[in-house]
Amino acid sequence: MTGPSGFSGALARWVQSVLGPIQVVRDASHPRTNSQVWEVASRAGRHFVKVAPDPILYTRETRAYREAVPQLGHAGAPAMRDSSAELLALILTAVDGEPLKCETSLARRRDAHRQAGQLLRRFHDVLPSRRAQSEAGAVIEATVTGLEKHIAAAGNHLSVTEADLLRRIVSALPAIGPLPCGLRHGDFWERNIIWTGRRCALIDYERSTPGPLVADFVKLATTVWPDLPELGTSLLAGYGRPLSDIEQQALVSFAAADAASALAYGPLHGDERVTARGRRTVERLTQEGRWR
């Protein structure tokens, strides 16, 4: 076996016990300290080996792969070949394609968003709303109570006026009303939509938890849809229904909370893309009527 130094010892022995002799093709980790992902090749084909940052994320992802991901179909997502709770590791089949953010054709992006909406709807429908509803209150409470921590961490990246605006918008979330609930993907945006040019698949389920489904639309609604609203139209057409009025209201509140989180995380970790997402959302929210 050849490859990066991080892929060795017990992890390498376990992977080879499942796949046979392997070669590490590349380190596929995201540019953050707790991301550990490798692409490997063997006689069994291409796979990805992923080590979760902690037991909670490992449990979430393995649950999603066992209970929800199979509903997306063979081409709609990777399959979990094996997992190790001791190593917090998963072996996943590879899907063809590149992240959708690399697609330059607007027509193909529209088709990809429509397909992604179909996949997301299948994922959301796995867990009946009544089972997820019990956890929705905790999600909303955590969103509201966690806001102050994010505002404090954002420091001078938020003005006093902007921070007060986010507080007002997020504080309205508990009173909006019952929201459709289910198993959320948790990190649904173009980075995690893999696209061949004709077909898309969803990856990365470590943040999958039960709760209000509308929260899954926040990242696209704050990054892609402002400039290309037709992509939002395509995605919701694939999803099979528009967002209700109360979901639209909740989307704004979740987006405001996400902006504070992004401005807390992005500057601290040198992530310009996350920082830009937070800043742009704040600027949109301060322009009356712009969000609507």
Side-chain angles (χ1 to χ4, degrees), residues 2-272:
T2 60
S5 59
F7 194 93
S8 59
L11 178 63
R13 289 192 295 273
W14 172 68
V15 173
Q16 291 188 115
S17 75
V18 177
L19 299 178
I22 63 171
Q23 178 181 7
V24 178
V25 176
R26 64 185 177 97
D27 187 333
S29 306
H30 292 304
R32 58 178 188 265
T33 57
N34 65 353
S35 178
Q36 298 184 79
V37 184
W38 297 269
E39 182 180 0
V40 303
S42 72
R43 289 183 179 180
R46 283 195 312 129
H47 290 79
F48 284 88
V49 177
K50 180 175 184 178
V51 177
D54 60 54
I56 293 175
L57 297 184
Y58 169 82
T59 299
R60 289 174 179 171
E61 188 146 32
T62 53
R63 176 191 179 186
Y65 271 107
R66 290 188 180 110
E67 298 181 8
V69 174
Q71 302 305 314
L72 305 186
H74 174 71
M80 186 171 67
R81 181 73 179 267
D82 205 348
S83 62
S84 169
E86 179 182 1
L87 298 170
L88 301 182
L90 301 85
I91 300 175
L92 308 170
T93 59
V95 291
D96 293 332
E98 300 292 335
L100 179 55
K101 65 181 182 178
C102 301
E103 177 59 74
T104 57
S105 164
L106 180 57
R108 285 194 293 268
R109 282 180 81 186
R110 283 199 298 266
D111 188 31
H113 276 251
R114 178 186 59 79
Q115 291 186 37
Q118 292 172 334
L119 292 174
L120 185 66
R121 180 63 180 270
R122 291 183 210 163
F123 191 86
H124 281 175
D125 284 348
V126 167
L127 184 65
S129 181
R130 63 182 180 277
R131 287 180 53 192
Q133 197 74 48
S134 62
E135 301 190 43
V139 171
I140 290 173
E141 182 180 355
T143 301
V144 174
T145 58
L147 181 67
E148 287 303 323
K149 177 184 71 175
H150 295 316
I151 288 175
N156 60 10
H157 293 281
L158 279 172
S159 71
V160 172
T161 300
E162 290 169 341
D164 285 342
L165 173 65
L166 297 184
R167 290 186 183 99
R168 178 174 60 79
I169 295 173
V170 175
S171 66
L173 188 56
I176 286 176
L179 294 164
C181 294
L183 186 62
R184 303 171 299 170
H185 179 279
D187 199 15
F188 183 71
W189 57 331
E190 288 192 324
R191 186 181 72 183
N192 291 329
I193 301 171
I194 303 300
W195 174 243
T196 67
R198 293 189 302 174
R199 186 181 66 238
C200 71
L202 299 185
I203 63 169
D204 274 3
Y205 299 90
E206 65 183 27
R207 301 192 181 280
S208 175
T209 57
L213 298 177
V214 69
D216 258 345
F217 297 100
V218 167
K219 287 185 177 178
L220 288 178
T222 57
T223 57
V224 176
W225 296 355
D227 296 322
L228 297 168
E230 60 265 48
L231 296 184
T233 300
S234 295
L235 191 138
L236 290 174
Y239 192 69
R241 69 171 180 85
L243 298 180
S244 67
D245 288 344
I246 63 170
E247 285 179 300
Q248 291 281 7
Q249 296 174 50
L251 181 63
V252 176
S253 293
F254 280 120
D258 177 74
S261 175
L263 291 173
Y265 178 92
L268 179 63
H269 294 87
D271 193 325
E272 295 180 1

